[in-house]
Amino acid sequence: MTFLPMIILIGAIILEIGAAVALIVNLLTESGYGLKNSQEAFVLGRSGVFDAMIRLERNKDYTTNGAPYFLNVDTGKSFEVIVCNNSKINVASSTCDITAPGYQNKADIISTGKVINKNRRLEAIVNVNGATTEIQIESLKEISI
Amino acid sequence: MILNKYRDLKGQALIEILLGTIIGVIIIGGITGILAITLRGDSETKNTQLAASFVQDLVNKTKSVSESNWDSVYGLSKGSSNFYYIYYNTSTSLAEIRNGIETVTSTDGKIFHRYFYIENVNRNYCGTGDISTSSATGACLTWPPFLTYISEDPSTQKIATFVKWDSDTRSVKATQYLMRNLNNSFVQTDWQGGAGQESFPVSGSTTIINDKFSASVNINFSSSGSITMATTTSPANLTSSVFDTFVASGSAINSILWKGLQPANTTVSFQIASSNNSGGPWNYIGPDGSGGSYYVPNQNTSIAVNPTNHINQRYFRYKIFLQTSVVQNPGVDDVILNWSL
């Protein structure tokens, strides 16, 4: 009889259509909400930089010594911040590299915003004026994770 | 003959026609379904991306407005029932915050609703440490404060921004923290000009920090660039002239630092007074908000000012206290206050 091959064929077609639908839905969701989550991760990363800056305004010598501090903003949303003063952040070893040139009277800030599965990382170099305690941002850029 | 002729004819069995029809219906239905989902999803993706861009736009505008005038954000009613949006006032060429919900129309005519609301933010270490969701614990009786003391940080605000569409059944939200990051400094490095100056002179919209001050007790200010105790047998203090920040909506004082010599068993401490009137009144207070407490930073070590004191005051001045329990005398060369616009 031809029933078994036919049933297999129909089943395969249904499965294929189902897989195609799932793939399309996933792609569309990812492109829509992925962008939205990525943008919010950037905003949170930027908030982390500002948070580090106000800590420096209150204490010009503020540092996390290379270790991050965290803030859970909402469910699935957070940022983590590392601050090194007069030194460069070594992310891999979670330390401050005091031998790195060009970081005298500067603070290195790396902030990572996280929303669901999207992460954005920003690095700010901040001038710390030891004579006046003024904190001025020198550069702010996105870096790879 | 005739029967054999019909028996040998090859044709479609009914079951084969039915199966073919079913397969056709499934394939055509499936393709139609995929197309429908794709088109609907494409429209939804487009709307979500538009909404995300509208959110980003409002997030950036809110930050800009807060930088131009912190109190325009901090002074608003807080909580999720108070909606605001940014309105560009063409008559003043300034962006301003208005109550309500903004309607934004995309280029293809889609209607979106956009707004934000604001929440105050608490931190541990009496408003100077990590952002905390815990409730405030009350007055800060020690300074530097303990980790467990939670209080509001008026220089930090949490902003939740929303864009909604399709009769507000669909939405995109972004959360950001705004901080009062634009900062400046007050630096006095000389007092040799003597007492009697109530306010520092101004030039245009800039306050000139000169070598004079308002009053002193037991202070030797005759040496250029330094003050010391005239005698070590009794406490000494000096009251500065009034400093005008020229921020009409007021400033925030972030930290105090002094530089000089600090022998063992000597203390240099501060109180700060602030006002929105150049003539005061001047209440000199320490970290707990009373006249009985003092900021006691070590030489060349920043100490945070309690952020709940001196909120949005245009004028401030300091009072410095020098004490010793030995014959050595502390010498203050520089007094530095960091403040935010």
Side-chain angles (χ1 to χ4, degrees):
Chain A
M1 288 297 289
T2 56
F3 280 125
L4 184 60
M6 279 298 169
I7 289 169
I8 292 171
L9 179 64
I10 293 169
I13 291 169
I14 292 171
L15 278 175
E16 193 173 344
I17 291 171
V21 167
L23 181 67
I24 288 168
V25 167
N26 179 263
L27 286 174
L28 292 171
T29 304
E30 181 65 17
S31 61
Y33 284 92
L35 173 74
K36 173 246 169 201
N37 290 340
S38 179
Q39 282 187 346
E40 188 170 10
F42 180 87
V43 170
L44 287 178
R46 199 171 60 176
S47 295
V49 171
F50 299 149
D51 186 62
M53 284 182 66
I54 201 153
R55 290 168 189 245
L56 285 163
E57 287 163 28
R58 289 172 173 154
N59 175 8
K60 68 178 177 62
D61 300 312
Y62 178 76
T63 177
T64 66
N65 291 317
Y69 67 84
F70 304 87
L71 176 67
N72 289 317
V73 178
D74 282 318
T75 305
K77 301 177 182 179
S78 64
F79 63 71
E80 64 175 62
V81 183
I82 306 171
V83 182
C84 284
N85 215 320
N86 288 311
S87 53
K88 180 175 173 52
I89 296 168
N90 185 328
V91 178
S93 61
S94 294
T95 57
C96 296
D97 181 3
I98 57 172
T99 62
Y103 284 85
Q104 201 62 32
N105 297 319
K106 296 182 195 298
D108 188 12
I109 301 168
I110 291 182
S111 174
T112 308
K114 300 179 177 181
V115 175
I116 316 294
N117 59 344
K118 295 291 180 185
N119 297 348
R120 301 281 292 271
R121 179 171 287 173
L122 305 176
E123 180 174 28
I125 305 296
V126 173
N127 287 316
V128 181
N129 188 323
T132 66
T133 70
E134 285 178 30
I135 308 299
Q136 307 290 350
I137 197 158
E138 179 180 293
S139 67
L140 175 62
K141 64 181 179 183
E142 185 165 11
I143 60 173
S144 61
I145 295 177
Chain B
M1 286 291 288
I2 294 171
L3 283 174
N4 287 340
K5 182 183 173 185
Y6 282 106
R7 189 182 60 201
D8 294 339
L9 280 176
K10 305 294 180 187
Q12 301 291 325
L14 183 58
I15 189 70
E16 290 173 325
I17 294 170
L18 280 172
L19 286 170
T21 306
I22 290 169
I23 292 169
V25 166
I26 288 171
I27 292 172
I28 293 168
I31 290 170
T32 308
I34 289 172
L35 282 172
I37 289 169
T38 305
L39 290 171
R40 186 170 177 275
D42 186 48
S43 171
E44 195 56 41
T45 300
K46 185 182 168 188
N47 289 336
T48 304
Q49 290 180 346
L50 270 173
S53 68
F54 289 145
V55 162
Q56 187 71 33
D57 179 56
L58 185 54
V59 161
N60 291 337
K61 284 177 177 171
T62 312
K63 175 165 171 45
S64 296
V65 170
S66 75
E67 285 179 347
S68 65
N69 182 354
W70 176 257
D71 197 49
S72 68
V73 173
Y74 181 69
L76 296 171
S77 298
K78 310 296 166 59
S80 58
S81 59
N82 296 296
F83 300 155
Y84 302 100
Y85 66 96
I86 304 291
Y87 174 80
Y88 182 73
N89 191 331
T90 51
S91 60
T92 61
S93 298
L94 292 173
E96 58 190 50
I97 297 175
R98 290 194 168 181
N99 283 302
I101 297 172
E102 179 186 18
T103 297
V104 185
T105 307
S106 66
T107 51
D108 59 357
K110 184 81 177 174
I111 303 292
F112 295 85
H113 293 128
R114 180 165 74 166
Y115 64 91
F116 65 89
Y117 67 80
I118 306 169
E119 292 176 337
N120 285 331
V121 174
N122 289 345
R123 291 179 184 267
N124 58 23
Y125 290 106
C126 277
T128 64
D130 292 341
I131 290 172
S132 171
T133 53
S134 302
S135 300
T137 53
C140 298
L141 301 177
T142 63
W143 206 267
F146 295 137
L147 167 74
T148 51
Y149 282 177
I150 310 289
S151 66
E152 186 203 337
D153 176 12
S155 294
T156 303
Q157 297 283 272
K158 184 179 182 181
I159 315 287
T161 305
F162 291 83
V163 169
K164 297 183 175 182
W165 69 97
D166 285 350
S167 303
D168 294 350
T169 57
R170 311 283 296 168
S171 68
V172 165
K173 176 191 175 189
T175 304
Q176 70 169 331
Y177 286 88
L178 294 178
M179 283 78 175
R180 203 169 184 167
N181 286 128
L182 290 181
N183 65 108
N184 214 320
S185 61
F186 165 97
V187 182
Q188 185 161 22
T189 59
D190 200 3
W191 296 264
Q192 203 175 17
Q197 177 182 263
E198 184 60 13
S199 296
F200 287 108
V202 298
S203 173
S205 57
T206 304
T207 301
I208 310 297
I209 302 169
N210 59 15
D211 61 355
K212 296 180 180 176
F213 53 92
S214 176
S216 68
V217 175
N218 191 31
I219 290 285
N220 178 1
F221 53 87
S222 59
S223 301
S224 176
S226 182
I227 52 172
T228 56
M229 299 173 73
T231 67
T232 56
T233 52
S234 61
N237 68 69
L238 179 148
T239 303
S240 78
S241 304
V242 176
F243 179 77
D244 186 354
T245 64
F246 279 99
V247 181
S249 55
S251 62
I253 303 172
N254 298 317
S255 64
I256 308 175
L257 173 76
W258 70 275
K259 295 183 179 182
L261 288 173
Q262 186 176 21
N265 300 313
T266 62
T267 303
V268 174
S269 53
F270 292 85
Q271 288 182 327
I272 299 171
S274 58
S275 175
N276 270 322
N277 188 323
S278 62
W282 302 107
N283 297 315
Y284 295 94
I285 58 173
D288 72 357
S290 79
S293 64
Y294 301 85
Y295 296 98
V296 192
N298 288 323
Q299 191 272 136
N300 201 26
T301 303
S302 285
I303 189 168
V305 172
N306 188 336
T308 57
N309 299 334
H310 317 293
I311 302 172
N312 293 331
Q313 302 294 306
R314 173 170 169 168
Y315 304 90
F316 67 79
R317 65 200 305 184
Y318 68 87
K319 194 168 185 179
I320 186 170
F321 301 85
L322 278 60
Q323 283 185 293
T324 181
S325 58
V326 290
V327 291
Q328 283 86 3
N329 193 343
V332 177
D333 299 337
D334 302 336
V335 172
I336 302 163
L337 283 83
N338 182 293
W339 56 275
S340 287
L341 283 66

XYZ file of all heavy atoms in Angstrom, chain B residues 198 239-240 242 253 256 270-295 305-306 308-311 313 315-321 337:
375
model
N 32.717 89.408 53.591
C 31.568 88.525 53.754
C 31.369 87.627 52.537
O 31.061 86.448 52.679
C 30.299 89.352 54.012
C 29.043 88.554 54.290
C 29.147 87.643 55.535
O 30.090 87.793 56.339
O 28.289 86.745 55.666
N 36.119 81.239 59.330
C 34.889 81.216 58.533
C 35.171 81.871 57.183
O 35.638 83.016 57.129
C 33.761 81.979 59.248
O 33.568 81.408 60.544
C 32.463 81.897 58.459
N 34.878 81.149 56.113
C 35.198 81.654 54.776
C 34.190 82.711 54.337
O 33.124 82.882 54.943
C 35.191 80.516 53.765
O 33.861 80.172 53.420
N 31.451 84.035 51.450
C 30.367 83.304 50.763
C 30.747 83.095 49.303
O 31.169 84.037 48.620
C 29.053 84.099 50.866
C 27.947 83.403 50.076
C 28.656 84.273 52.323
N 26.979 69.821 46.895
C 28.387 69.750 47.321
C 28.758 68.279 47.464
O 28.086 67.517 48.164
C 28.587 70.511 48.637
C 28.127 71.965 48.452
C 30.052 70.469 49.062
C 28.094 72.767 49.726
N 34.940 67.260 50.333
C 35.884 68.226 50.915
C 37.267 67.587 50.932
O 37.400 66.384 51.201
C 35.536 68.576 52.381
C 34.091 69.008 52.522
C 36.454 69.667 52.913
C 33.704 69.242 53.974
N 35.709 70.305 59.424
C 34.930 71.281 58.647
C 33.448 71.200 58.976
O 32.915 70.137 59.316
C 35.065 71.012 57.147
C 36.429 71.262 56.572
C 37.405 70.274 56.639
C 36.746 72.470 55.980
C 38.671 70.488 56.113
C 38.009 72.691 55.448
C 38.971 71.698 55.508
N 32.806 72.331 58.791
C 31.350 72.388 58.674
C 31.028 73.249 57.454
O 31.832 74.112 57.070
C 30.711 72.997 59.928
C 30.772 72.073 61.143
C 30.088 72.667 62.357
O 30.093 73.885 62.544
N 29.507 71.808 63.180
N 29.882 73.019 56.876
C 29.480 73.761 55.683
C 28.116 74.389 55.925
O 27.237 73.767 56.539
C 29.415 72.831 54.452
C 30.802 72.229 54.180
C 28.923 73.577 53.219
C 30.783 71.139 53.140
N 27.978 75.615 55.441
C 26.673 76.284 55.467
C 26.284 76.620 54.036
O 27.156 76.921 53.208
C 26.744 77.555 56.308
N 25.005 76.523 53.733
C 24.551 76.828 52.375
C 23.223 77.573 52.435
O 22.497 77.492 53.430
C 24.390 75.535 51.557
O 23.477 74.670 52.186
N 22.944 78.275 51.382
C 21.715 79.070 51.350
C 21.382 79.432 49.905
O 22.260 79.392 49.035
C 21.897 80.353 52.172
O 20.765 81.176 52.059
N 20.150 79.772 49.683
C 19.775 80.305 48.374
C 19.732 81.827 48.392
O 19.277 82.455 47.434
C 18.426 79.741 47.922
C 18.606 78.459 47.122
O 19.551 78.347 46.335
N 17.730 77.494 47.324
N 20.184 82.380 49.498
C 20.243 83.826 49.640
C 21.681 84.202 49.995
O 22.267 83.608 50.913
C 19.279 84.247 50.763
C 19.145 85.751 50.850
O 20.120 86.491 50.653
N 17.945 86.213 51.152
N 22.241 85.156 49.295
C 23.643 85.525 49.552
C 23.843 86.048 50.971
O 24.961 86.058 51.480
C 24.097 86.571 48.535
O 23.320 87.747 48.675
N 22.744 86.463 51.594
C 22.853 86.964 52.969
C 22.538 85.911 54.020
O 22.453 86.218 55.209
N 22.366 84.677 53.613
C 22.077 83.598 54.554
C 20.595 83.425 54.815
O 19.792 83.781 53.945
N 20.199 82.884 55.942
C 20.992 82.590 57.144
C 22.002 81.445 56.926
O 21.794 80.606 56.059
C 19.926 82.182 58.168
C 18.806 81.632 57.346
C 18.810 82.447 56.082
N 23.049 81.453 57.746
C 24.130 80.484 57.614
C 24.145 79.540 58.800
O 24.509 79.938 59.906
C 25.468 81.208 57.485
C 25.461 82.144 56.308
C 25.401 83.490 56.332
C 25.479 81.765 54.930
N 25.386 83.989 55.052
C 25.440 82.954 54.169
C 25.532 80.549 54.249
C 25.429 82.965 52.771
C 25.541 80.550 52.862
C 25.492 81.743 52.143
N 23.731 78.331 58.534
C 23.753 77.289 59.565
C 24.892 76.328 59.237
O 24.805 75.556 58.279
C 22.421 76.533 59.588
C 21.263 77.438 59.949
O 21.361 78.229 60.886
N 20.176 77.345 59.198
N 25.925 76.385 60.054
C 27.090 75.517 59.809
C 26.795 74.127 60.365
O 26.545 73.987 61.571
C 28.340 76.122 60.462
C 28.708 77.431 59.810
C 28.248 78.634 60.333
C 29.482 77.464 58.668
C 28.559 79.846 59.722
C 29.785 78.665 58.048
C 29.323 79.852 58.582
O 29.613 81.031 57.964
N 26.811 73.166 59.465
C 26.429 71.813 59.874
C 27.458 70.798 59.389
O 28.171 71.012 58.416
C 25.029 71.416 59.342
C 24.981 71.504 57.811
C 23.952 72.281 59.976
C 23.690 70.980 57.206
N 27.476 69.697 60.099
C 28.327 68.569 59.739
C 27.501 67.469 59.093
O 26.378 67.699 58.638
N 28.030 66.267 59.041
C 27.374 65.193 58.294
C 26.000 64.787 58.805
O 25.166 64.316 58.020
C 28.365 64.029 58.401
C 29.317 64.397 59.472
C 29.360 65.869 59.524
N 25.737 64.940 60.099
C 24.407 64.526 60.582
C 23.380 65.657 60.459
O 22.250 65.526 60.915
C 24.483 63.989 62.020
C 24.731 65.085 63.048
O 24.901 66.258 62.656
O 24.759 64.759 64.253
N 23.797 66.765 59.847
C 22.863 67.858 59.618
C 22.742 68.819 60.775
O 21.934 69.751 60.728
N 23.524 68.598 61.823
C 23.446 69.475 62.991
C 24.747 70.258 63.152
O 25.765 69.948 62.527
C 23.204 68.636 64.260
O 24.423 68.043 64.680
N 24.700 71.244 64.013
C 25.889 72.040 64.306
C 26.854 71.339 65.239
O 27.926 71.870 65.542
N 26.499 70.132 65.645
C 27.357 69.397 66.575
C 28.222 68.349 65.915
O 28.935 67.604 66.598
N 28.139 68.235 64.613
C 28.941 67.211 63.921
C 29.893 67.888 62.933
O 29.669 69.031 62.516
C 28.036 66.216 63.190
O 27.309 66.868 62.172
N 30.944 67.155 62.577
C 32.009 67.733 61.755
C 32.482 66.714 60.708
O 32.462 65.507 60.965
C 33.205 68.120 62.630
C 32.862 69.113 63.712
C 32.349 68.677 64.944
C 33.030 70.472 63.510
C 32.011 69.570 65.936
C 32.705 71.391 64.509
C 32.189 70.929 65.716
O 31.853 71.829 66.703
N 32.911 67.235 59.576
C 33.656 66.416 58.614
C 35.112 66.467 59.019
O 35.676 67.567 59.175
C 33.489 66.962 57.197
C 32.064 66.893 56.683
C 31.227 68.011 56.730
C 31.553 65.699 56.164
C 29.923 67.953 56.261
C 30.242 65.630 55.702
C 29.438 66.761 55.754
O 28.149 66.690 55.300
N 30.678 64.685 51.208
C 29.724 65.471 51.985
C 28.389 64.732 51.957
O 28.014 64.172 50.913
C 29.579 66.886 51.386
C 28.457 67.660 52.049
C 30.899 67.634 51.521
N 27.711 64.697 53.085
C 26.407 64.023 53.131
C 25.504 64.601 52.041
O 25.171 65.794 52.079
C 25.771 64.218 54.505
C 24.514 63.377 54.669
O 23.873 63.014 53.687
N 24.177 63.066 55.902
N 22.482 64.433 51.406
C 21.141 64.905 51.764
C 21.175 66.307 52.376
O 20.125 66.900 52.598
C 20.455 63.932 52.739
O 21.282 63.786 53.884
C 20.227 62.587 52.101
N 22.392 66.802 52.660
C 22.514 68.187 53.133
C 22.844 69.097 51.943
O 23.406 68.658 50.960
C 23.626 68.304 54.177
C 23.352 67.462 55.400
O 22.197 67.179 55.716
N 24.396 67.034 56.073
N 22.492 70.350 52.068
C 22.874 71.372 51.070
C 22.319 71.068 49.674
O 22.978 71.309 48.668
C 24.395 71.511 50.993
C 25.071 71.517 52.332
N 24.905 72.534 53.241
C 25.884 70.610 52.931
C 25.602 72.262 54.340
N 26.193 71.102 54.175
N 21.109 70.528 49.604
C 20.546 70.190 48.297
C 20.098 71.455 47.585
O 19.289 72.234 48.105
C 19.335 69.239 48.448
C 19.756 67.973 49.183
C 18.756 68.878 47.085
C 18.586 67.087 49.548
N 21.369 74.418 46.740
C 21.587 75.744 47.309
C 22.610 76.476 46.432
O 23.616 75.899 46.030
C 22.111 75.648 48.748
C 21.197 74.873 49.685
C 19.867 75.569 49.922
O 19.832 76.731 50.314
N 18.779 74.863 49.668
N 24.429 79.302 47.193
C 25.592 79.859 47.897
C 26.066 78.882 48.978
O 25.239 78.216 49.622
C 25.230 81.185 48.566
C 24.662 82.212 47.615
C 23.282 82.289 47.390
C 25.486 83.104 46.944
C 22.757 83.219 46.512
C 24.956 84.043 46.066
C 23.602 84.092 45.860
O 23.071 85.011 44.992
N 27.361 78.825 49.173
C 27.875 78.046 50.305
C 29.145 78.683 50.846
O 29.789 79.521 50.192
C 28.069 76.575 49.937
C 29.149 76.290 48.926
C 30.502 76.265 49.283
C 28.822 76.008 47.601
C 31.487 75.986 48.361
C 29.808 75.722 46.657
C 31.145 75.714 47.043
N 29.508 78.288 52.036
C 30.749 78.727 52.684
C 31.161 77.630 53.655
O 30.341 76.779 54.027
C 30.546 80.062 53.398
C 29.582 79.994 54.548
C 29.007 81.349 54.944
N 30.047 82.331 55.231
C 29.784 83.574 55.666
N 28.520 83.946 55.889
N 30.756 84.427 55.888
N 32.406 77.661 54.044
C 32.886 76.624 54.970
C 33.412 77.257 56.251
O 33.757 78.457 56.288
C 33.986 75.772 54.314
C 35.272 76.513 54.055
C 36.269 76.609 55.035
C 35.505 77.139 52.824
C 37.449 77.313 54.803
C 36.679 77.834 52.582
C 37.649 77.917 53.575
O 38.805 78.623 53.353
N 33.482 76.457 57.265
C 34.116 76.857 58.522
C 35.113 75.749 58.860
O 34.744 74.558 58.873
C 33.060 76.990 59.625
C 33.552 77.706 60.871
C 32.359 78.042 61.786
C 32.798 78.872 62.975
N 31.649 79.223 63.843
N 36.371 76.149 59.050
C 37.418 75.158 59.307
C 37.852 75.264 60.760
O 37.972 76.378 61.303
C 38.594 75.355 58.330
C 39.631 74.241 58.490
C 39.232 76.724 58.455
C 40.692 74.241 57.390
N 38.049 74.120 61.396
C 38.427 74.065 62.809
C 39.782 73.364 62.923
O 39.962 72.272 62.371
C 37.381 73.273 63.609
C 35.999 73.860 63.537
C 35.154 73.543 62.472
C 35.543 74.719 64.527
C 33.873 74.080 62.406
C 34.257 75.250 64.457
C 33.418 74.936 63.393
N 36.627 72.154 47.711
C 35.304 71.539 47.743
C 34.875 71.235 46.301
O 34.949 72.119 45.435
C 34.261 72.463 48.387
C 34.292 72.568 49.918
C 35.327 73.567 50.383
C 32.925 72.928 50.454
